[in-house]
Amino acid sequence: MKKKLISVLLAVLLLLSCMSASISAFATTRPIQLDVKVTNILDGAGDMNWYTFTPVASGTYSFLSYNVPASEAYLFVKEKDPETGKKVYKQLEFSNSDPNYQENGHNILQFCLTYYLEKGVTYYYAAGWSFDYTIDKATAMTVMLRCDEYYEKIVESIELSCPAVLSAYVDGNWAKDPSGLYSYFYYDISKIIANMKITVNYADGRTSTVIGKDQIDGYDILFKHTQSENHWYPQETPEYTANTLTIKIADASVDFDVPIKINAMYAVTGTIVDTNGDPVENARILNNATNSLITTTDSNGSYYFATNSGQLSITISGESVLSRQVLMTIGSQQSGNDFAPIEVVNLDYVNDGTINAKDLVHIIKNFSGSELESKQQDFNEYINFDKSDYPSLSLTAQ
């Protein structure tokens, strides 16, 4: 038997064809924003979460769930009871599954509650499981509210300007594509958003301007950008495909071409090896100036990245790698810069910054045969070694 708010009160509401009934909301009522997925633990009212929303424009809105277990939702408004004079909840709509789940990218058991909402009216959504889900009451539910259609034109146009410019291979970090095989540079656009001047020209003739905000006149400003293995290339390169940031406000949107400044770039290659000369896989190379990841080594211990000429201070780190700082001098060779192998001590298994007895215990527990003997010999050579024991290392291209 469902332990739901609806088991008694909403059953009555359904039978009475949406007549007003008093409901006590035992759960926390949270405000919800458009187009933002929200995840919360089910926290009361018969395993239901409550959300409140007051639209700034009339239109058709959809309330959706994003969970595997079957879920359902209810929509209410508060109205004054003519007999008692008290405000009570009136049910407007119910949904226990999404008939258009494929269009919404859903599982068939998810809900999509669609209803016309009026500007300025406060609505209450309740979301929970559509069956007794007492096995794990701590299970979280993810929901989102979207506007499918505004019933009046709100924004006539959006004007954008931004003095900020991203620097290639500086304002962001290196990332891997979904396959984990290829690296690309993921740009951090927060500098653009923080400096962006947005002017909204409304259909009724009003005009408003904000700088570095995520709301304007109560409307959420949505910044949409897709960065993946399809790298945001600088405009000066042949691979350029437009560095697009889409800004959406109410029923209007506009694209902004993000400027990326690039100087001459030069390839940097080399390898990271351990004290036996064996390659170190997944070693991380960090830019000390920006404290950001540049790249990681492959299964051969090899690395590749592109950067400007001049000096570059880096730190080599990684699982069991005792971190080491290196100063590189990048030359302006068209053929690129190939550096000698960088040697690191790869015995810090407990990651405490020094080679000690804890690492020896790890070696004894996890290695055997000739590999165990080799690791023990390495340990004996580097016992009590820490990163300050590395000799300073300044490299120029070979």
PDB file of all heavy atoms in Angstrom, residues 38-57:
ATOM      1  N   VAL A  38      17.408  19.707 -10.755  1.00  0.00           N
ATOM      2  CA  VAL A  38      17.574  19.780  -9.307  1.00  0.00           C
ATOM      3  C   VAL A  38      17.450  18.377  -8.730  1.00  0.00           C
ATOM      4  O   VAL A  38      16.510  17.650  -9.055  1.00  0.00           O
ATOM      5  CB  VAL A  38      16.510  20.701  -8.673  1.00  0.00           C
ATOM      6  CG1 VAL A  38      16.674  20.729  -7.161  1.00  0.00           C
ATOM      7  CG2 VAL A  38      16.618  22.104  -9.246  1.00  0.00           C
ATOM      8  N   THR A  39      18.404  17.998  -7.887  1.00  0.00           N
ATOM      9  CA  THR A  39      18.374  16.683  -7.245  1.00  0.00           C
ATOM     10  C   THR A  39      18.253  16.850  -5.740  1.00  0.00           C
ATOM     11  O   THR A  39      19.031  17.575  -5.127  1.00  0.00           O
ATOM     12  CB  THR A  39      19.643  15.878  -7.578  1.00  0.00           C
ATOM     13  OG1 THR A  39      19.746  15.722  -8.994  1.00  0.00           O
ATOM     14  CG2 THR A  39      19.608  14.505  -6.927  1.00  0.00           C
ATOM     15  N   ASN A  40      17.253  16.170  -5.159  1.00  0.00           N
ATOM     16  CA  ASN A  40      17.053  16.213  -3.712  1.00  0.00           C
ATOM     17  C   ASN A  40      16.634  14.839  -3.208  1.00  0.00           C
ATOM     18  O   ASN A  40      15.983  14.075  -3.916  1.00  0.00           O
ATOM     19  CB  ASN A  40      15.958  17.220  -3.335  1.00  0.00           C
ATOM     20  CG  ASN A  40      16.341  18.654  -3.620  1.00  0.00           C
ATOM     21  OD1 ASN A  40      15.766  19.290  -4.486  1.00  0.00           O
ATOM     22  ND2 ASN A  40      17.329  19.167  -2.901  1.00  0.00           N
ATOM     23  N   ILE A  41      17.020  14.543  -1.970  1.00  0.00           N
ATOM     24  CA  ILE A  41      16.539  13.336  -1.310  1.00  0.00           C
ATOM     25  C   ILE A  41      15.051  13.517  -1.005  1.00  0.00           C
ATOM     26  O   ILE A  41      14.623  14.594  -0.598  1.00  0.00           O
ATOM     27  CB  ILE A  41      17.312  13.086   0.007  1.00  0.00           C
ATOM     28  CG1 ILE A  41      18.814  12.945  -0.292  1.00  0.00           C
ATOM     29  CG2 ILE A  41      16.786  11.847   0.718  1.00  0.00           C
ATOM     30  CD1 ILE A  41      19.177  11.755  -1.134  1.00  0.00           C
ATOM     31  N   LEU A  42      14.251  12.484  -1.221  1.00  0.00           N
ATOM     32  CA  LEU A  42      12.845  12.558  -0.848  1.00  0.00           C
ATOM     33  C   LEU A  42      12.749  12.736   0.660  1.00  0.00           C
ATOM     34  O   LEU A  42      13.267  11.930   1.424  1.00  0.00           O
ATOM     35  CB  LEU A  42      12.114  11.293  -1.287  1.00  0.00           C
ATOM     36  CG  LEU A  42      12.015  11.108  -2.804  1.00  0.00           C
ATOM     37  CD1 LEU A  42      11.332   9.808  -3.131  1.00  0.00           C
ATOM     38  CD2 LEU A  42      11.288  12.269  -3.443  1.00  0.00           C
ATOM     39  N   ASP A  43      12.075  13.812   1.086  1.00  0.00           N
ATOM     40  CA  ASP A  43      12.225  14.198   2.490  1.00  0.00           C
ATOM     41  C   ASP A  43      10.929  14.389   3.252  1.00  0.00           C
ATOM     42  O   ASP A  43      10.870  15.133   4.208  1.00  0.00           O
ATOM     43  CB  ASP A  43      13.073  15.473   2.584  1.00  0.00           C
ATOM     44  CG  ASP A  43      12.410  16.658   1.886  1.00  0.00           C
ATOM     45  OD1 ASP A  43      11.310  16.499   1.327  1.00  0.00           O
ATOM     46  OD2 ASP A  43      13.003  17.736   1.908  1.00  0.00           O
ATOM     47  N   GLY A  44       9.844  13.734   2.844  1.00  0.00           N
ATOM     48  CA  GLY A  44       8.647  13.881   3.656  1.00  0.00           C
ATOM     49  C   GLY A  44       7.377  13.804   2.854  1.00  0.00           C
ATOM     50  O   GLY A  44       7.376  13.514   1.664  1.00  0.00           O
ATOM     51  N   ALA A  45       6.265  14.118   3.513  1.00  0.00           N
ATOM     52  CA  ALA A  45       4.948  14.130   2.888  1.00  0.00           C
ATOM     53  C   ALA A  45       4.692  12.842   2.129  1.00  0.00           C
ATOM     54  O   ALA A  45       4.301  12.854   0.970  1.00  0.00           O
ATOM     55  CB  ALA A  45       4.803  15.340   1.980  1.00  0.00           C
ATOM     56  N   GLY A  46       4.927  11.675   2.789  1.00  0.00           N
ATOM     57  CA  GLY A  46       4.704  10.404   2.124  1.00  0.00           C
ATOM     58  C   GLY A  46       5.687  10.169   1.014  1.00  0.00           C
ATOM     59  O   GLY A  46       5.327   9.702  -0.065  1.00  0.00           O
ATOM     60  N   ASP A  47       6.950  10.514   1.248  1.00  0.00           N
ATOM     61  CA  ASP A  47       8.006  10.369   0.238  1.00  0.00           C
ATOM     62  C   ASP A  47       7.732  11.240  -0.987  1.00  0.00           C
ATOM     63  O   ASP A  47       7.652  10.772  -2.121  1.00  0.00           O
ATOM     64  CB  ASP A  47       8.150   8.905  -0.196  1.00  0.00           C
ATOM     65  CG  ASP A  47       8.786   8.064   0.885  1.00  0.00           C
ATOM     66  OD1 ASP A  47       9.354   8.645   1.820  1.00  0.00           O
ATOM     67  OD2 ASP A  47       8.701   6.830   0.783  1.00  0.00           O
ATOM     68  N   MET A  48       7.584  12.520  -0.758  1.00  0.00           N
ATOM     69  CA  MET A  48       7.406  13.470  -1.860  1.00  0.00           C
ATOM     70  C   MET A  48       8.246  14.710  -1.608  1.00  0.00           C
ATOM     71  O   MET A  48       8.438  15.118  -0.460  1.00  0.00           O
ATOM     72  CB  MET A  48       5.943  13.875  -2.030  1.00  0.00           C
ATOM     73  CG  MET A  48       5.050  12.800  -2.603  1.00  0.00           C
ATOM     74  SD  MET A  48       3.475  13.472  -3.137  1.00  0.00           S
ATOM     75  CE  MET A  48       3.477  12.990  -4.842  1.00  0.00           C
ATOM     76  N   ASN A  49       8.729  15.304  -2.686  1.00  0.00           N
ATOM     77  CA  ASN A  49       9.392  16.602  -2.625  1.00  0.00           C
ATOM     78  C   ASN A  49       8.461  17.656  -3.204  1.00  0.00           C
ATOM     79  O   ASN A  49       7.773  17.405  -4.199  1.00  0.00           O
ATOM     80  CB  ASN A  49      10.708  16.591  -3.411  1.00  0.00           C
ATOM     81  CG  ASN A  49      11.832  15.966  -2.613  1.00  0.00           C
ATOM     82  OD1 ASN A  49      11.786  15.924  -1.393  1.00  0.00           O
ATOM     83  ND2 ASN A  49      12.847  15.478  -3.299  1.00  0.00           N
ATOM     84  N   TRP A  50       8.493  18.840  -2.610  1.00  0.00           N
ATOM     85  CA  TRP A  50       7.628  19.935  -3.040  1.00  0.00           C
ATOM     86  C   TRP A  50       8.470  21.079  -3.600  1.00  0.00           C
ATOM     87  O   TRP A  50       9.518  21.416  -3.053  1.00  0.00           O
ATOM     88  CB  TRP A  50       6.789  20.443  -1.863  1.00  0.00           C
ATOM     89  CG  TRP A  50       5.667  19.512  -1.495  1.00  0.00           C
ATOM     90  CD1 TRP A  50       5.769  18.294  -0.903  1.00  0.00           C
ATOM     91  CD2 TRP A  50       4.270  19.743  -1.711  1.00  0.00           C
ATOM     92  NE1 TRP A  50       4.537  17.741  -0.735  1.00  0.00           N
ATOM     93  CE2 TRP A  50       3.588  18.613  -1.212  1.00  0.00           C
ATOM     94  CE3 TRP A  50       3.533  20.789  -2.258  1.00  0.00           C
ATOM     95  CZ2 TRP A  50       2.200  18.495  -1.266  1.00  0.00           C
ATOM     96  CZ3 TRP A  50       2.148  20.681  -2.298  1.00  0.00           C
ATOM     97  CH2 TRP A  50       1.491  19.540  -1.807  1.00  0.00           C
ATOM     98  N   TYR A  51       7.976  21.687  -4.685  1.00  0.00           N
ATOM     99  CA  TYR A  51       8.659  22.795  -5.342  1.00  0.00           C
ATOM    100  C   TYR A  51       7.635  23.892  -5.641  1.00  0.00           C
ATOM    101  O   TYR A  51       6.464  23.617  -5.919  1.00  0.00           O
ATOM    102  CB  TYR A  51       9.302  22.340  -6.653  1.00  0.00           C
ATOM    103  CG  TYR A  51      10.289  21.219  -6.481  1.00  0.00           C
ATOM    104  CD1 TYR A  51       9.881  19.888  -6.552  1.00  0.00           C
ATOM    105  CD2 TYR A  51      11.635  21.474  -6.224  1.00  0.00           C
ATOM    106  CE1 TYR A  51      10.782  18.850  -6.380  1.00  0.00           C
ATOM    107  CE2 TYR A  51      12.542  20.448  -6.045  1.00  0.00           C
ATOM    108  CZ  TYR A  51      12.109  19.131  -6.125  1.00  0.00           C
ATOM    109  OH  TYR A  51      13.001  18.112  -5.949  1.00  0.00           O
ATOM    110  N   THR A  52       8.102  25.129  -5.595  1.00  0.00           N
ATOM    111  CA  THR A  52       7.217  26.254  -5.884  1.00  0.00           C
ATOM    112  C   THR A  52       7.788  27.067  -7.047  1.00  0.00           C
ATOM    113  O   THR A  52       9.015  27.191  -7.196  1.00  0.00           O
ATOM    114  CB  THR A  52       7.039  27.150  -4.636  1.00  0.00           C
ATOM    115  OG1 THR A  52       6.153  28.224  -4.955  1.00  0.00           O
ATOM    116  CG2 THR A  52       8.358  27.726  -4.170  1.00  0.00           C
ATOM    117  N   PHE A  53       6.897  27.611  -7.864  1.00  0.00           N
ATOM    118  CA  PHE A  53       7.322  28.374  -9.038  1.00  0.00           C
ATOM    119  C   PHE A  53       6.278  29.433  -9.351  1.00  0.00           C
ATOM    120  O   PHE A  53       5.074  29.160  -9.369  1.00  0.00           O
ATOM    121  CB  PHE A  53       7.485  27.439 -10.243  1.00  0.00           C
ATOM    122  CG  PHE A  53       7.872  28.156 -11.512  1.00  0.00           C
ATOM    123  CD1 PHE A  53       9.130  28.726 -11.665  1.00  0.00           C
ATOM    124  CD2 PHE A  53       6.961  28.272 -12.550  1.00  0.00           C
ATOM    125  CE1 PHE A  53       9.485  29.392 -12.830  1.00  0.00           C
ATOM    126  CE2 PHE A  53       7.303  28.926 -13.726  1.00  0.00           C
ATOM    127  CZ  PHE A  53       8.562  29.491 -13.862  1.00  0.00           C
ATOM    128  N   THR A  54       6.760  30.660  -9.601  1.00  0.00           N
ATOM    129  CA  THR A  54       5.889  31.766 -10.004  1.00  0.00           C
ATOM    130  C   THR A  54       6.364  32.278 -11.363  1.00  0.00           C
ATOM    131  O   THR A  54       7.408  32.933 -11.452  1.00  0.00           O
ATOM    132  CB  THR A  54       5.915  32.910  -8.974  1.00  0.00           C
ATOM    133  OG1 THR A  54       5.588  32.399  -7.682  1.00  0.00           O
ATOM    134  CG2 THR A  54       4.935  34.006  -9.372  1.00  0.00           C
ATOM    135  N   PRO A  55       5.663  31.954 -12.440  1.00  0.00           N
ATOM    136  CA  PRO A  55       6.129  32.365 -13.776  1.00  0.00           C
ATOM    137  C   PRO A  55       6.052  33.876 -13.964  1.00  0.00           C
ATOM    138  O   PRO A  55       5.117  34.530 -13.482  1.00  0.00           O
ATOM    139  CB  PRO A  55       5.179  31.638 -14.732  1.00  0.00           C
ATOM    140  CG  PRO A  55       3.956  31.368 -13.917  1.00  0.00           C
ATOM    141  CD  PRO A  55       4.428  31.162 -12.503  1.00  0.00           C
ATOM    142  N   VAL A  56       7.038  34.408 -14.649  1.00  0.00           N
ATOM    143  CA  VAL A  56       7.030  35.831 -14.980  1.00  0.00           C
ATOM    144  C   VAL A  56       6.339  36.071 -16.314  1.00  0.00           C
ATOM    145  O   VAL A  56       6.162  37.202 -16.730  1.00  0.00           O
ATOM    146  CB  VAL A  56       8.471  36.387 -15.018  1.00  0.00           C
ATOM    147  CG1 VAL A  56       9.098  36.364 -13.650  1.00  0.00           C
ATOM    148  CG2 VAL A  56       9.326  35.612 -16.014  1.00  0.00           C
ATOM    149  N   ALA A  57       5.965  34.978 -16.984  1.00  0.00           N
ATOM    150  CA  ALA A  57       5.231  35.088 -18.245  1.00  0.00           C
ATOM    151  C   ALA A  57       4.315  33.885 -18.384  1.00  0.00           C
ATOM    152  O   ALA A  57       4.660  32.769 -17.995  1.00  0.00           O
ATOM    153  CB  ALA A  57       6.186  35.152 -19.431  1.00  0.00           C
TER     154      ALA A  57
END
